[in-house]
Each structure stands twice: as C-alpha cells, then as structure tokens.
Amino acid sequence: MGQPSNRQINNPSGVTSMNSVHVDDYFKALSSRDKLGIAPHFAEGIVLHGPIYADVIEGRDAVVAILSGFIETIETLEVNLSITSDRDVAVFFTFARDGITVQGNERLHLDDDGLIDSITVAWRPLPAAVALQEIFAAKMGFPVMHLVTE
C-alpha cells in the first residue's frame, strides 16, 4: 500500500504529533535494502527490542549491524500502515524471503530531535517468523529458535 506519510498526523486528543520524517526515511531505506541509509535516522543511544534474539541491542552501531543483517536476509519489505501519536510511531509492514511472508510491526519512539531512540518489533504468524529467525540467526550467529508443535 505504499510508503508511510511524511505529514504530521493528529492524535486522538487533537494535539499535533511530531513529524515522523526519520521514521519514513528509515522505512524507505529498509524497503530499498539500503544498509547505509538506516543509520542517520537513529539517536546515538537507540535501543532495539527484537523478536529474533533474547538480548536488548543498544547503541547506534549495534542496531545498524543487526538491521544490516536483516536487510541482507529479506528479499522484500512493504509498509502497509503508519500511525503517529506525539513521539510514538507504529508501522505495520510485510516482508518476505524464499516464499515465506511475515507480518511485522514496529513501535518507534522519537527523541527531541525527531531521531528514533527506541524500536520494539513484533512478527507474526509464529511459524513464518520462526522460519525467518532461523535463517537470520544462522547468518548473524544468534541462537537459532525452533517451533515445537505437539
């Protein structure tokens, strides 16, 4: 459905939200698989809570390294919806690799300068998310997760 909007969006209270241009440009870089294009949109002390590893990733360089590996792992990423409220942005997207499609969402928080200082990621459905985690984890040296069904 296209890229997120560069315009400001009013939250339900009617207060104008912070401009999300850094979020929009970050997702443009992800969608075009531009590893160098993601870093300028992150605050130095950014934290990343992701679904594919147990630890919180902290700092711009560490987050860029993780997301660069993600970019190398996926074939496509398409933004479906972006919602902004004050300094928080929720982005819903789909990405794919080897015929496996995952629906994802990120809750991003912006600092005083509009830079992304926190990202929390969720993926679904679980079998597809685990299948892509196995590919990504093997590439990055993380423990591989397995889905166990009874």
Side-chain angles (χ1 to χ4, degrees):
M1 293 194 76
Q3 297 296 317
S5 170
N6 281 329
R7 63 186 170 86
Q8 293 182 343
I9 300 171
N10 288 336
N11 68 20
S13 69
V15 177
T16 301
S17 300
M18 178 176 277
N19 190 314
S20 61
V21 69
H22 284 289
V23 173
D24 299 339
D25 290 346
Y26 158 66
F27 272 94
K28 286 177 188 171
L30 282 178
S31 296
S32 64
R33 303 180 70 218
D34 176 6
K35 293 186 288 187
L36 297 177
I38 60 176
H41 309 293
F42 297 150
E44 188 63 39
I46 187 171
V47 295
L48 172 64
H49 304 267
I52 56 174
Y53 38 83
D55 298 327
V56 174
I57 306 301
E58 298 183 47
R60 182 185 296 144
D61 292 343
V63 170
V64 167
I66 295 296
L67 292 174
S68 293
F70 173 72
I71 287 170
E72 292 172 0
T73 302
I74 64 171
E75 295 168 344
T76 63
L77 184 142
E78 181 181 344
V79 172
N80 307 113
L81 176 66
S82 178
I83 302 168
T84 304
S85 177
D86 194 30
R87 291 184 186 209
D88 293 295
V89 182
V91 179
F92 298 84
F93 53 92
T94 55
F95 61 94
R97 157 93 186 239
D98 297 337
I100 302 167
T101 300
V102 175
Q103 298 169 340
N105 65 74
E106 292 187 4
R107 178 189 172 269
L108 304 103
H109 185 268
L110 308 177
D111 70 7
D112 290 340
D113 298 318
L115 294 170
I116 302 164
D117 64 8
S118 176
I119 303 173
T120 302
V121 185
W123 294 353
R124 69 160 309 278
L126 187 56
V130 170
L132 282 178
Q133 189 277 344
E134 291 173 352
I135 296 167
F136 182 64
K139 174 186 235 18
M140 299 296 292
F142 293 128
V144 174
M145 296 177 186
H146 299 286
L147 183 62
V148 177
T149 57
E150 293 185 24

